Amino acid sequence: MQSSHKNTFCIQYWKLTDIADVKVLRRINKNGVPVSTKNYSEVFFYAKLQDAMPDARHLMENGYDIKIRKCCKGKNDSFWLI
């Protein structure tokens, strides 16, 4: 799946064993390991909530908890979540 050009929804995730280390999804590698980002230009976006469900399910089945959030652009390639 390709990142949406609508830049609407993203997945925020964390390991169930480390709830203090919250990340935003950039991609999921071929081996199933999620990669995070801190830059708006690298966030993996979903146009609709339904589009995020397969990746959200994959993360939850592999020891992560998730929230699907709206992602808004900040200054200097940063972002904030609603």
Side-chain angles (χ1 to χ4, degrees):
M1 175 182 276
Q2 289 189 352
S3 187
S4 170
H5 295 291
K6 293 182 180 180
N7 297 356
T8 306
F9 297 103
C10 67
I11 296 178
Q12 185 180 37
Y13 69 97
W14 56 93
K15 284 192 174 190
L16 291 172
T17 57
D18 189 7
I19 60 172
D21 189 20
V22 179
K23 301 174 181 178
V24 173
L25 187 66
R26 178 179 181 182
R27 69 173 183 273
I28 298 176
N29 284 342
K30 289 181 183 181
N31 63 359
V33 176
V35 176
S36 66
T37 185
K38 295 185 186 277
N39 299 321
Y40 181 83
S41 62
E42 297 174 338
V43 172
F44 193 94
F45 287 103
Y46 302 90
K48 300 181 287 188
L49 288 173
Q50 295 87 345
D51 295 341
M53 290 303 147
D55 289 341
R57 186 175 299 114
H58 169 79
L59 290 169
M60 289 188 290
E61 290 172 350
N62 288 284
Y64 295 92
D65 199 2
I66 65 105
K67 280 188 181 180
I68 298 173
R69 311 280 301 265
K70 284 196 72 126
C71 186
C72 302
K73 187 173 177 141
K75 294 181 181 179
N76 300 323
D77 204 29
S78 66
F79 59 86
W80 50 281
L81 303 173
I82 299 175

